[in-house]
Amino acid sequence: MGIGGSLSDGIIKKILLSYTYVAIWIFLSFTVIVYNKYILDKKMYNWPFPISLTMIHMSFCASLAFILIKVFKAVEPVSMSRELYLFSVVPIGALYSLSLWLSNSAYIYLSVSFIQMLKALMPVAVYSIGVMFKKEGFKTDTMVNMLSISFGVAIAAYGEAKFDTWGVILQLGAVAFEATRLVMIQILLTSKGITLNPITSLYYVAPCCLVFLTVPWIFVEYPILKETSSFHFDFVIFGTNSFCAFALNLAVFLLVGKTSALTMNVAGVVKDWLLIAFSWSVIKDTVTPINLFGYGLAFLGVAYYNHSKLQALKSKEAQKKATQADEEAGRLLEERESEGTGKKSESQD
Protein backbone atom coordinates (compact mmCIF):
# COMPACT_ATOMS: atom_id res chain seq x y z
CA MET A 1 0.00 0.00 0.00
CA GLY A 2 2.86 2.34 0.91
CA ILE A 3 4.69 1.58 -2.35
CA GLY A 4 1.56 2.17 -4.42
CA GLY A 5 0.89 5.41 -2.56
CA SER A 6 4.44 6.69 -3.11
CA LEU A 7 4.27 5.72 -6.79
CA SER A 8 1.04 7.63 -7.19
CA ASP A 9 2.55 10.63 -5.42
CA GLY A 10 5.54 10.49 -7.78
CA ILE A 11 3.32 10.36 -10.85
CA ILE A 12 1.16 13.21 -9.57
CA LYS A 13 4.26 15.28 -8.85
CA LYS A 14 5.60 14.64 -12.36
CA ILE A 15 2.28 15.63 -13.93
CA LEU A 16 2.09 18.80 -11.84
CA LEU A 17 5.64 19.75 -12.80
CA SER A 18 4.86 19.20 -16.50
CA TYR A 19 1.80 21.44 -16.24
CA THR A 20 3.92 24.03 -14.40
CA TYR A 21 6.52 24.08 -17.20
CA VAL A 22 3.73 24.42 -19.77
CA ALA A 23 2.09 27.25 -17.81
CA ILE A 24 5.41 29.13 -17.45
CA TRP A 25 6.13 28.85 -21.19
CA ILE A 26 2.60 29.90 -22.20
CA PHE A 27 2.70 32.85 -19.80
CA LEU A 28 6.11 34.10 -21.01
CA SER A 29 5.34 33.55 -24.69
CA PHE A 30 1.99 35.28 -24.25
CA THR A 31 3.66 38.17 -22.36
CA VAL A 32 6.43 38.72 -24.95
CA ILE A 33 3.97 38.77 -27.87
CA VAL A 34 1.51 41.14 -26.19
CA TYR A 35 4.33 43.31 -24.80
CA ASN A 36 5.96 43.67 -28.24
CA LYS A 37 2.57 44.56 -29.73
CA TYR A 38 2.05 47.16 -27.00
CA ILE A 39 5.44 48.82 -27.64
CA LEU A 40 5.29 48.80 -31.45
CA ASP A 41 1.62 49.57 -32.08
CA LYS A 42 1.00 53.24 -32.96
CA LYS A 43 -2.28 53.21 -31.00
CA MET A 44 -0.59 52.02 -27.77
CA TYR A 45 2.97 52.89 -26.64
CA ASN A 46 3.65 54.19 -30.15
CA TRP A 47 7.32 53.30 -30.63
CA PRO A 48 7.27 51.77 -34.14
CA PHE A 49 10.95 50.85 -34.40
CA PRO A 50 11.14 47.04 -34.73
CA ILE A 51 14.86 46.91 -35.62
CA SER A 52 15.75 48.97 -32.56
CA LEU A 53 13.54 46.83 -30.31
CA THR A 54 15.13 43.63 -31.65
CA MET A 55 18.61 45.10 -31.12
CA ILE A 56 17.72 45.99 -27.52
CA HIS A 57 16.58 42.38 -26.99
CA MET A 58 19.77 40.95 -28.53
CA SER A 59 22.04 43.31 -26.56
CA PHE A 60 20.34 42.39 -23.30
CA CYS A 61 20.33 38.64 -24.04
CA ALA A 62 23.96 38.59 -25.23
CA SER A 63 25.12 40.53 -22.14
CA LEU A 64 23.19 38.32 -19.72
CA ALA A 65 24.38 35.13 -21.43
CA PHE A 66 27.99 36.41 -21.27
CA ILE A 67 27.65 37.12 -17.52
CA LEU A 68 26.09 33.70 -16.82
CA ILE A 69 28.81 31.85 -18.76
CA LYS A 70 31.96 33.88 -18.09
CA VAL A 71 31.28 35.36 -14.64
CA PHE A 72 28.98 32.93 -12.82
CA LYS A 73 30.13 29.83 -14.80
CA ALA A 74 26.48 28.68 -14.81
CA VAL A 75 26.92 26.90 -18.15
CA GLU A 76 29.98 25.56 -19.91
CA PRO A 77 30.53 27.19 -23.35
CA VAL A 78 30.58 24.83 -26.34
CA SER A 79 34.00 24.23 -27.85
CA MET A 80 33.85 25.94 -31.24
CA SER A 81 36.51 26.72 -33.85
CA ARG A 82 36.59 30.00 -35.76
CA GLU A 83 35.75 28.17 -38.99
CA LEU A 84 32.73 26.46 -37.44
CA TYR A 85 31.54 29.78 -36.00
CA LEU A 86 31.85 31.62 -39.32
CA PHE A 87 30.27 28.96 -41.51
CA SER A 88 27.65 27.57 -39.10
CA VAL A 89 26.70 30.05 -36.37
CA VAL A 90 26.95 33.25 -38.44
CA PRO A 91 24.44 32.11 -41.15
CA ILE A 92 22.02 31.01 -38.39
CA GLY A 93 22.47 34.39 -36.69
CA ALA A 94 21.71 36.20 -39.97
CA LEU A 95 18.51 34.20 -40.48
CA TYR A 96 17.46 34.74 -36.87
CA SER A 97 17.96 38.51 -37.13
CA LEU A 98 15.81 38.67 -40.27
CA SER A 99 13.11 36.51 -38.69
CA LEU A 100 12.93 38.67 -35.55
CA TRP A 101 13.05 41.94 -37.48
CA LEU A 102 10.20 41.00 -39.83
CA SER A 103 8.04 39.35 -37.15
CA ASN A 104 8.33 42.41 -34.88
CA SER A 105 7.59 44.68 -37.85
CA ALA A 106 4.36 42.80 -38.54
CA TYR A 107 2.93 43.90 -35.17
CA ILE A 108 2.73 47.46 -36.49
CA TYR A 109 0.35 46.46 -39.28
CA LEU A 110 -1.53 43.32 -38.15
CA SER A 111 -3.57 42.22 -35.17
CA VAL A 112 -2.16 39.74 -32.66
CA SER A 113 -4.88 37.21 -33.54
CA PHE A 114 -4.20 37.33 -37.29
CA ILE A 115 -0.43 37.02 -36.78
CA GLN A 116 -1.01 33.83 -34.77
CA MET A 117 -3.15 32.48 -37.61
CA LEU A 118 -0.41 33.19 -40.15
CA LYS A 119 2.12 31.43 -37.89
CA ALA A 120 0.17 28.21 -38.50
CA LEU A 121 2.09 28.10 -41.81
CA MET A 122 5.33 27.28 -39.95
CA PRO A 123 5.06 23.46 -40.47
CA VAL A 124 4.41 24.10 -44.19
CA ALA A 125 7.53 26.25 -44.47
CA VAL A 126 9.72 23.88 -42.42
CA TYR A 127 8.60 20.83 -44.43
CA SER A 128 8.97 22.57 -47.82
CA ILE A 129 12.46 23.90 -47.02
CA GLY A 130 13.40 20.52 -45.51
CA VAL A 131 12.44 18.81 -48.79
CA MET A 132 14.36 21.47 -50.74
CA PHE A 133 17.54 20.80 -48.73
CA LYS A 134 16.87 17.02 -48.74
CA LYS A 135 16.44 16.84 -44.96
CA GLU A 136 12.85 15.60 -45.44
CA GLY A 137 11.58 13.01 -47.89
CA PHE A 138 8.78 14.09 -50.21
CA LYS A 139 5.51 12.33 -49.33
CA THR A 140 2.27 12.92 -51.18
CA ASP A 141 0.05 12.59 -48.09
CA THR A 142 2.23 15.06 -46.15
CA MET A 143 2.13 17.56 -49.02
CA VAL A 144 -1.68 17.24 -49.17
CA ASN A 145 -1.74 17.98 -45.44
CA MET A 146 0.49 21.03 -46.01
CA LEU A 147 -1.89 22.26 -48.70
CA SER A 148 -4.85 21.86 -46.32
CA ILE A 149 -3.05 24.01 -43.71
CA SER A 150 -2.30 26.64 -46.37
CA PHE A 151 -5.94 26.56 -47.53
CA GLY A 152 -7.14 27.12 -43.95
CA VAL A 153 -4.79 30.09 -43.47
CA ALA A 154 -5.92 31.51 -46.83
CA ILE A 155 -9.57 31.39 -45.65
CA ALA A 156 -8.56 33.08 -42.37
CA ALA A 157 -6.78 35.80 -44.38
CA TYR A 158 -9.85 36.24 -46.60
CA GLY A 159 -11.97 36.80 -43.50
CA GLU A 160 -9.53 39.26 -41.88
CA ALA A 161 -11.32 42.55 -41.23
CA LYS A 162 -8.15 44.68 -41.15
CA PHE A 163 -6.10 42.95 -43.84
CA ASP A 164 -2.83 44.71 -44.61
CA THR A 165 -0.83 43.39 -47.56
CA TRP A 166 2.52 44.75 -46.35
CA GLY A 167 1.96 43.30 -42.87
CA VAL A 168 1.16 39.87 -44.36
CA ILE A 169 4.32 40.00 -46.51
CA LEU A 170 6.40 40.83 -43.43
CA GLN A 171 4.91 37.98 -41.37
CA LEU A 172 5.24 35.43 -44.20
CA GLY A 173 8.86 36.55 -44.64
CA ALA A 174 9.43 36.03 -40.91
CA VAL A 175 7.96 32.52 -41.14
CA ALA A 176 10.15 31.69 -44.15
CA PHE A 177 13.37 32.90 -42.47
CA GLU A 178 12.54 31.17 -39.18
CA ALA A 179 11.78 27.88 -40.98
CA THR A 180 15.08 28.16 -42.89
CA ARG A 181 16.90 28.81 -39.62
CA LEU A 182 15.42 25.67 -38.03
CA VAL A 183 16.48 23.55 -41.02
CA MET A 184 19.95 25.15 -41.04
CA ILE A 185 20.40 24.31 -37.35
CA GLN A 186 19.89 20.64 -38.28
CA ILE A 187 22.29 20.86 -41.23
CA LEU A 188 25.03 23.09 -39.79
CA LEU A 189 25.02 22.18 -36.07
CA THR A 190 22.98 19.12 -35.10
CA SER A 191 24.46 16.96 -37.89
CA LYS A 192 27.93 17.81 -36.53
CA GLY A 193 26.98 16.72 -33.01
CA ILE A 194 26.75 20.28 -31.64
CA THR A 195 23.83 21.11 -29.36
CA LEU A 196 23.32 24.59 -27.99
CA ASN A 197 21.10 25.25 -24.98
CA PRO A 198 19.33 28.65 -24.80
CA ILE A 199 22.15 30.36 -22.86
CA THR A 200 25.00 29.15 -25.11
CA SER A 201 22.80 29.77 -28.15
CA LEU A 202 22.29 33.41 -27.16
CA TYR A 203 25.98 33.68 -26.20
CA TYR A 204 27.03 32.76 -29.74
CA VAL A 205 24.07 33.86 -31.89
CA ALA A 206 22.88 37.13 -30.27
CA PRO A 207 26.09 39.10 -31.10
CA CYS A 208 25.74 37.97 -34.75
CA CYS A 209 22.14 39.20 -34.81
CA LEU A 210 23.23 42.52 -33.35
CA VAL A 211 25.88 43.01 -36.07
CA PHE A 212 23.50 42.08 -38.89
CA LEU A 213 20.73 44.33 -37.56
CA THR A 214 23.09 47.31 -37.23
CA VAL A 215 23.32 47.71 -41.02
CA PRO A 216 19.59 48.25 -41.75
CA TRP A 217 19.21 50.17 -38.48
CA ILE A 218 21.77 52.80 -39.56
CA PHE A 219 19.89 53.49 -42.81
CA VAL A 220 16.26 52.89 -41.79
CA GLU A 221 15.67 53.82 -38.15
CA TYR A 222 18.68 55.76 -36.88
CA PRO A 223 17.95 58.93 -38.93
CA ILE A 224 14.34 59.01 -37.63
CA LEU A 225 15.38 58.35 -34.01
CA LYS A 226 18.03 61.06 -34.28
CA GLU A 227 15.38 63.61 -35.26
CA THR A 228 12.95 62.44 -32.56
CA SER A 229 14.28 64.58 -29.73
CA SER A 230 11.20 63.93 -27.58
CA PHE A 231 12.07 60.25 -27.11
CA HIS A 232 13.60 59.17 -23.79
CA PHE A 233 14.73 55.59 -23.23
CA ASP A 234 12.37 53.99 -20.71
CA PHE A 235 14.50 51.51 -18.76
CA VAL A 236 11.46 49.97 -17.04
CA ILE A 237 9.56 49.25 -20.28
CA PHE A 238 12.50 48.05 -22.37
CA GLY A 239 14.28 46.35 -19.46
CA THR A 240 11.29 44.24 -18.45
CA ASN A 241 10.46 43.53 -22.10
CA SER A 242 14.02 42.30 -22.77
CA PHE A 243 14.05 40.23 -19.58
CA CYS A 244 10.82 38.52 -20.65
CA ALA A 245 12.40 37.72 -24.03
CA PHE A 246 15.44 36.17 -22.29
CA ALA A 247 13.26 34.23 -19.84
CA LEU A 248 11.22 32.86 -22.76
CA ASN A 249 14.37 31.29 -24.24
CA LEU A 250 15.04 29.55 -20.92
CA ALA A 251 11.41 28.43 -20.68
CA VAL A 252 11.62 26.79 -24.12
CA PHE A 253 14.67 24.80 -23.00
CA LEU A 254 12.95 23.86 -19.72
CA LEU A 255 9.73 22.77 -21.44
CA VAL A 256 11.38 20.66 -24.15
CA GLY A 257 14.05 19.28 -21.80
CA LYS A 258 11.66 18.28 -19.01
CA THR A 259 8.71 17.18 -21.17
CA SER A 260 8.94 16.83 -24.97
CA ALA A 261 8.80 18.77 -28.22
CA LEU A 262 5.27 17.41 -28.75
CA THR A 263 4.16 18.91 -25.42
CA MET A 264 5.49 22.25 -26.63
CA ASN A 265 3.52 21.93 -29.87
CA VAL A 266 0.31 21.17 -27.95
CA ALA A 267 1.04 24.05 -25.54
CA GLY A 268 1.61 26.28 -28.57
CA VAL A 269 -1.89 25.54 -29.84
CA VAL A 270 -3.36 26.43 -26.42
CA LYS A 271 -1.31 29.66 -26.40
CA ASP A 272 -2.51 30.61 -29.89
CA TRP A 273 -6.19 30.19 -28.95
CA LEU A 274 -5.62 32.19 -25.74
CA LEU A 275 -3.96 34.98 -27.72
CA ILE A 276 -6.81 35.06 -30.21
CA ALA A 277 -9.32 35.27 -27.33
CA PHE A 278 -7.23 37.98 -25.62
CA SER A 279 -6.84 39.93 -28.85
CA TRP A 280 -10.62 39.89 -29.37
CA SER A 281 -11.75 40.55 -25.78
CA VAL A 282 -9.09 42.90 -24.37
CA ILE A 283 -7.29 44.58 -27.30
CA LYS A 284 -10.65 44.71 -29.14
CA ASP A 285 -9.28 43.33 -32.41
CA THR A 286 -11.96 42.18 -34.83
CA VAL A 287 -12.09 38.39 -35.14
CA THR A 288 -14.62 37.23 -37.74
CA PRO A 289 -16.33 33.80 -38.02
CA ILE A 290 -14.46 33.26 -41.32
CA ASN A 291 -11.18 33.95 -39.44
CA LEU A 292 -12.01 31.26 -36.90
CA PHE A 293 -13.26 28.77 -39.51
CA GLY A 294 -10.08 29.14 -41.59
CA TYR A 295 -7.80 28.91 -38.57
CA GLY A 296 -9.79 25.88 -37.36
CA LEU A 297 -9.02 24.08 -40.65
CA ALA A 298 -5.35 25.04 -40.39
CA PHE A 299 -5.30 23.90 -36.76
CA LEU A 300 -6.65 20.45 -37.72
CA GLY A 301 -3.93 20.16 -40.37
CA VAL A 302 -1.21 21.15 -37.89
CA ALA A 303 -2.61 18.70 -35.30
CA TYR A 304 -2.54 15.88 -37.85
CA TYR A 305 1.02 16.81 -38.86
CA ASN A 306 2.17 16.73 -35.21
CA HIS A 307 0.42 13.37 -34.72
CA SER A 308 2.17 11.94 -37.81
CA LYS A 309 5.55 13.19 -36.60
CA LEU A 310 4.92 11.62 -33.17
CA GLN A 311 4.01 8.26 -34.73
CA ALA A 312 7.11 8.36 -36.93
CA LEU A 313 9.25 9.20 -33.88
CA LYS A 314 7.72 6.33 -31.88
CA SER A 315 8.30 3.93 -34.78
CA LYS A 316 11.92 5.07 -35.06
CA GLU A 317 12.47 4.66 -31.31
CA ALA A 318 10.87 1.19 -31.36
CA GLN A 319 13.07 0.18 -34.29
CA LYS A 320 16.14 1.49 -32.49
CA LYS A 321 15.27 -0.48 -29.33
CA ALA A 322 14.63 -3.62 -31.39
CA THR A 323 18.02 -3.25 -33.08
CA GLN A 324 19.74 -2.74 -29.72
CA ALA A 325 17.95 -5.81 -28.33
CA ASP A 326 19.06 -7.89 -31.33
CA GLU A 327 22.65 -6.69 -30.93
CA GLU A 328 22.57 -7.50 -27.19
CA ALA A 329 21.13 -10.95 -27.88
CA GLY A 330 23.80 -11.58 -30.52
CA ARG A 331 26.54 -10.50 -28.12
CA LEU A 332 25.23 -12.81 -25.37
CA LEU A 333 25.03 -15.69 -27.84
CA GLU A 334 28.61 -15.09 -28.93
CA GLU A 335 29.73 -15.01 -25.28
CA ARG A 336 27.94 -18.30 -24.56
CA GLU A 337 29.42 -19.94 -27.67
CA SER A 338 32.84 -18.65 -26.67
CA GLU A 339 32.42 -20.03 -23.13
CA GLY A 340 31.22 -23.36 -24.55
CA THR A 341 34.25 -23.59 -26.84
CA GLY A 342 36.54 -22.78 -23.91
CA LYS A 343 34.97 -25.50 -21.72
CA LYS A 344 35.22 -28.02 -24.59
CA SER A 345 38.90 -27.27 -25.00
CA GLU A 346 39.46 -27.72 -21.26
CA SER A 347 37.69 -31.13 -21.27
CA GLN A 348 39.79 -32.31 -24.21
CA ASP A 349 42.95 -31.31 -22.35
Side-chain angles (χ1 to χ4, degrees):
M1 184 74 178
I3 296 173
S6 63
L7 182 63
S8 299
D9 290 343
I11 293 172
I12 291 170
K13 186 178 178 181
K14 189 175 180 180
I15 292 170
L16 288 174
L17 281 173
S18 297
Y19 277 113
T20 301
Y21 299 139
V22 168
I24 290 170
W25 179 79
I26 289 177
F27 172 76
L28 288 170
S29 182
F30 188 99
T31 302
V32 169
I33 290 169
V34 174
Y35 212 158
N36 287 351
K37 174 67 175 176
Y38 168 75
I39 291 171
L40 295 165
D41 198 299
K42 294 178 182 178
K43 296 178 182 178
M44 298 182 193
Y45 189 76
N46 190 26
W47 199 69
F49 301 103
I51 306 176
S52 300
L53 182 63
T54 309
M55 289 178 71
I56 292 170
H57 287 174
M58 291 297 102
S59 300
F60 182 89
C61 291
S63 301
L64 203 51
F66 179 85
I67 292 169
L68 288 172
I69 290 176
K70 293 296 185 180
V71 179
F72 292 104
K73 310 290 183 183
V75 178
E76 283 293 324
V78 177
S79 178
M80 192 174 296
S81 65
R82 181 179 296 179
E83 184 182 2
L84 181 64
Y85 185 82
L86 288 174
F87 293 101
S88 296
V89 176
V90 170
I92 291 169
L95 291 166
Y96 195 35
S97 63
L98 289 167
S99 171
L100 292 172
W101 171 18
L102 296 184
S103 63
N104 282 335
S105 299
Y107 286 113
I108 300 172
Y109 304 95
L110 303 176
S111 66
V112 170
S113 57
F114 187 44
I115 286 174
Q116 298 313 120
M117 294 176 189
L118 291 175
K119 284 181 180 179
L121 288 170
M122 184 60 74
V124 180
V126 171
Y127 177 73
S128 301
I129 294 168
V131 170
M132 191 187 304
F133 284 97
K134 297 181 180 179
K135 290 299 292 181
E136 293 271 3
F138 179 84
K139 295 179 182 178
T140 305
D141 57 340
T142 305
M143 185 52 70
V144 170
N145 185 28
M146 297 298 104
L147 290 173
S148 71
I149 296 171
S150 303
F151 181 66
V153 173
I155 292 174
Y158 176 77
E160 177 59 21
K162 297 178 181 178
F163 186 91
D164 186 284
T165 304
W166 180 237
V168 171
I169 291 171
L170 288 170
Q171 184 55 47
L172 292 180
V175 168
F177 283 121
E178 177 63 12
T180 307
R181 182 183 77 91
L182 294 174
V183 174
M184 286 297 104
I185 286 174
Q186 293 180 4
I187 295 172
L188 299 176
L189 293 178
T190 308
S191 63
K192 297 175 183 177
I194 297 172
T195 305
L196 300 177
N197 62 47
I199 297 176
T200 53
S201 178
L202 290 171
Y203 176 76
Y204 289 112
V205 175
C208 290
C209 290
L210 200 57
V211 171
F212 282 112
L213 289 167
T214 302
V215 178
W217 180 76
I218 290 171
F219 295 101
V220 178
E221 292 185 2
Y222 176 68
I224 302 172
L225 285 167
K226 192 177 180 181
E227 293 175 3
T228 311
S229 57
S230 60
F231 173 72
H232 299 285
F233 190 85
D234 192 327
F235 285 95
V236 175
I237 291 289
F238 293 105
T240 53
N241 179 247
S242 299
F243 182 78
C244 287
F246 181 81
L248 178 59
N249 280 279
L250 299 185
V252 170
F253 178 68
L254 187 68
L255 182 62
V256 176
K258 299 296 183 180
T259 57
S260 66
L262 180 68
T263 302
M264 184 175 172
N265 287 334
V266 174
V269 171
V270 175
K271 178 208 70 179
D272 289 344
W273 283 110
L274 286 173
L275 278 166
I276 291 170
F278 180 86
S279 177
W280 170 73
S281 62
V282 179
I283 304 178
K284 302 301 179 184
D285 287 332
T286 303
V287 179
T288 67
I290 298 176
N291 273 148
L292 295 176
F293 176 72
Y295 182 65
L297 288 178
F299 160 71
L300 291 174
V302 172
Y304 178 75
Y305 176 74
N306 287 335
H307 173 73
S308 300
K309 293 287 283 185
L310 177 63
Q311 294 303 314
L313 186 63
K314 283 183 176 179
S315 177
K316 188 176 180 180
E317 285 295 321
Q319 189 176 5
K320 185 179 178 180
K321 287 180 180 179
T323 303
Q324 288 175 345
D326 289 342
E327 289 176 354
E328 182 67 18
R331 187 180 64 78
L332 290 171
L333 184 62
E334 287 177 2
E335 287 178 358
R336 288 175 183 174
E337 287 178 352
S338 178
E339 288 174 2
T341 305
K343 289 179 180 179
K344 188 175 180 182
S345 298
E346 288 175 5
S347 64
Q348 286 177 350
D349 291 341

